[in-house]
Structure formats: C-alpha cells, structure tokens
Amino acid sequence: MANLKAIRDRIKSVKNTRKITEAMRLVATAKVRRAQEQVIATRPFADRLAQVLHGLQTRLKFEDVDLPLLQERPVEKVALLVISGDRGLCGGYNGNVIRRAEKRAQELTGSNIEYTYILVGRKAVQYFNRREQPIDSKFTELEQIPTAEEASQIADQLLSLFLSGTVDRVELVYTKFVSLVSSRPVVQTLLPLDPQGLEAEDDEIFRLITRSGRIDVTREKVAVGDRALPKDMLFEQDPVQILDALLPLYFSNQILRALQEAAASELAARMTAMNNASDNASQLVKSLTLDYNKARQAAITQEILEIVGGAEALG
C-alpha cells in the first residue's frame, strides 16, 4: 500500500517548486520588457550614426579609403567573441552557443588558423576554462539588460587586439533572437568592417505583446527614411577623419546590438523553460493527487474489509 504521508509530502514539494518556477517566469517576462524598452531607447543614436555613415559612403569610395578598421590582411589568427549567459535554467541557450563556438574553432584549426576566445558570460568561461582553451579576455557579471558602457569595454579590447596585429580577424558567436520559442546561434565577422555592411537597410525591433491571454513577440520593420546628407553640406574636417572617428562607434554599437539580441534570447529561453517546468509540475500534481486518492480509497476499503471480517469472526 502506498504511503499516504509520502505522497502528501511529494505533492506539497511539487507545488512549492511550481511557485518558484512561476515566479522565475514572471521575472524573465519583466526583464524581456525592459530589454525591449532599451532597444527602442538606443535606436535614435543608431539610426543617426547609420545616417552619417551612409552619407559619407555616398561621398567616398570606401574601397579607396585607407583606414585600419577596413583593412583586410592575410588571416593567421582569429579572435572569437562568444556571448553566453551568467546563469542557467534557460534550456539549451548556453549549450547551443558554446557548441557553435567549438564548431567554428574546429573549422579554423582545420584551415591551419590559430584562434583565441574572448568570452562573455560565466557559463562560457567555466566551460572553456575546464578544457584549457586559449582565452584572451573574460567578461562576467554583466547586467542582464546590456548597457553601452559594457559594449564599449568589450569593443575596446577587440579593437586593441585587431589594431595591434595580434589577431587578423574578429568573429562574433552569439544567439540571434527569433521569437520567444526560437533562437539561433550564428557566426558573424566583426573586423575588418565590411564597407557593404555599412549600407543603410530597414531594421527590425521586437515588441512583447499579449495574445489570447499568453505572452507573444512580434517583429516590426523600422522605416529609416532618407539617410542622404545634403549635397551642399561642408565638412570642417576631412571626411576620412570623420569616418575614422565614427567607425569605432559603429563597431561598439554592433556589439551592443549583439548583446541585446543575446540577452533577449536568454530571457525568452528562461521564460519558456520555466513555463514548461510549471506545466510539468501541474501535471505531476494531478498525477500524484490521483495516486493519493487511489491509495486513500484502498486504505479505506481495507479497513472496511477488516472490520467486516472481524465482525463475522465474532458472530
């Protein structure tokens, strides 16, 4: 006969766990909203920066401009910037981006190209430390809602490595935010900057909404408008000098956008994981309650049979 007290204790424990997972889901939801607000808040600067770069691009031929961040050279060593999280309980988020980074490192090794890691997030640091991989820099305990200051610190380190000739290319491995239930680890070349990549394009932002009582995400195209600079605009400085000053800002903004995408992916993965955990806990409570009722009914039936059997024996 099942132990009724043990089943009651298990039901109580699962209910308490469900309260925790539900609270964590709500916290992740609130942080996704904050991440969304920050993306919207930083967009005016990014749009204006893109406008100026696009205007300079129409005035200059980037291919003829000799700037360090645009310079391509034979690749002998690559810096891999890997963005992971500091915390777990977010499904396969950290594992997926780490596996993608390992795969890229294996591809570089197969091409006889050296590599070194610049790691963002405690999970990636712990993983690669245990495997004694070449690590140049580590960034942990960042804000869950990334800031421009943090992006600038990472950008400064990468620029130092590239401009000093320590590495010949910088690649980014991060998780691209697709939806609340979908994200995709991708590899993107950051340095040298690709002139074609500076062209103006319509961008997207995500918005958190409520649909049929459930949280969902929609993506919206952001119309940028005319980015051409006035033809009669005069530059006090050489346009090449202006471009040389703006490219590091553009590079830092690219890293900030990647941090924001990765943060949104992590929070969405945690929301999904905690929601699934809460649903599983509810199902487990129902199953345990059914087992408890069956065991209790069996105990009552057994007592009745014992009483009846005892009465017959006395009669």
Side-chain angles (χ1 to χ4, degrees):
M1 182 184 299
N3 189 328
L4 293 178
K5 183 178 184 303
I7 298 178
R8 283 199 305 269
D9 291 343
R10 182 74 190 284
I11 292 174
K12 182 179 179 181
S13 175
V14 173
K15 286 182 176 179
N16 289 336
T17 301
R18 184 176 59 186
K19 291 179 182 178
I20 295 172
T21 57
E22 184 63 19
M24 294 180 67
R25 184 187 70 83
L26 294 175
V27 170
T29 303
K31 289 183 177 180
V32 168
R33 292 185 184 276
R34 287 177 53 199
Q36 169 185 304
E37 292 170 357
Q38 188 185 42
V39 169
I40 296 174
T42 58
R43 184 156 302 280
F45 171 78
D47 285 346
R48 184 53 58 91
L49 179 61
Q51 179 186 22
V52 175
L53 286 173
H54 179 65
L56 290 172
Q57 187 178 22
T58 59
R59 297 279 187 95
L60 303 170
K61 293 183 178 179
F62 279 9
E63 292 78 3
D64 299 333
V65 176
D66 185 18
L67 292 176
L69 296 186
L70 300 177
Q71 181 183 9
E72 294 190 11
R73 49 181 184 256
V75 179
E76 297 180 358
K77 189 172 184 178
V78 174
L80 294 175
L81 172 62
V82 183
I83 301 178
S84 71
D86 285 324
R87 302 167 182 82
L89 297 177
C90 50
Y93 168 78
N94 291 308
N96 290 338
V97 73
I98 288 173
R99 282 193 294 272
R100 187 65 184 89
E102 282 188 316
K103 181 180 179 182
R104 182 54 183 159
Q106 292 171 0
E107 294 171 353
L108 293 173
T109 301
S111 300
N112 296 320
I113 298 175
E114 297 182 34
Y115 65 89
T116 185
Y117 286 113
I118 290 87
L119 303 176
V120 178
R122 194 172 67 240
K123 291 299 182 180
V125 171
Q126 292 174 344
Y127 182 88
F128 289 109
N129 270 340
R130 289 195 297 266
R131 285 154 182 79
E132 299 181 354
Q133 292 291 308
I135 301 174
D136 180 270
S137 306
K138 308 171 187 176
F139 298 88
T140 59
E141 302 301 330
L142 273 63
E143 295 290 335
Q144 277 203 302
I145 309 302
T147 64
E149 291 77 12
E150 293 170 339
S152 296
Q153 292 177 5
I154 299 172
D156 289 344
Q157 177 63 22
L158 294 172
L159 288 173
S160 175
L161 291 174
F162 183 76
L163 295 176
S164 66
T166 304
V167 300
D168 304 302
R169 191 167 69 209
V170 176
E171 295 182 358
L172 168 66
V173 185
Y174 76 110
T175 306
K176 186 174 182 60
F177 180 79
V178 179
S179 69
L180 285 179
V181 295
S182 177
S183 57
R184 184 175 69 255
V186 297
V187 179
Q188 173 184 335
T189 299
L190 289 178
L191 292 174
L193 292 173
D194 181 7
Q196 301 302 319
L198 302 180
E199 294 179 353
E201 295 181 357
D202 286 346
D203 206 345
E204 290 182 332
I205 59 174
F206 66 90
R207 293 186 181 277
L208 203 63
I209 63 173
T210 301
R211 179 177 295 160
S212 301
R214 298 184 67 86
I215 295 174
D216 197 2
V217 163
T218 61
R219 281 185 174 271
E220 298 180 2
K221 285 285 186 181
V222 179
V224 180
D226 185 14
R227 285 184 171 176
L229 297 178
K231 294 182 179 180
D232 57 350
M233 177 176 287
L234 300 177
F235 295 98
E236 293 185 1
Q237 292 177 298
D238 185 348
V240 175
Q241 294 180 349
I242 299 175
L243 186 62
D244 191 28
L246 289 181
L247 285 179
L249 286 177
Y250 174 81
F251 176 66
S252 179
N253 186 68
Q254 291 293 96
I255 294 178
L256 177 59
R257 289 294 303 277
L259 290 173
Q260 291 173 338
E261 291 257 352
S265 299
E266 179 186 358
L267 292 170
R270 184 167 290 111
M271 282 177 57
T272 301
M274 293 301 100
N275 185 66
N276 291 339
S278 297
D279 291 343
N280 292 338
S282 297
Q283 293 295 326
L284 185 56
V285 167
K286 291 180 180 179
S287 177
L288 289 172
T289 301
L290 182 60
D291 291 342
Y292 176 80
N293 291 336
K294 288 181 178 179
R296 183 169 176 269
Q297 185 63 43
I300 294 173
T301 302
Q302 182 64 30
E303 290 179 0
I304 293 174
L305 291 175
E306 291 176 355
I307 292 173
V308 172
E312 291 178 352
L314 293 175

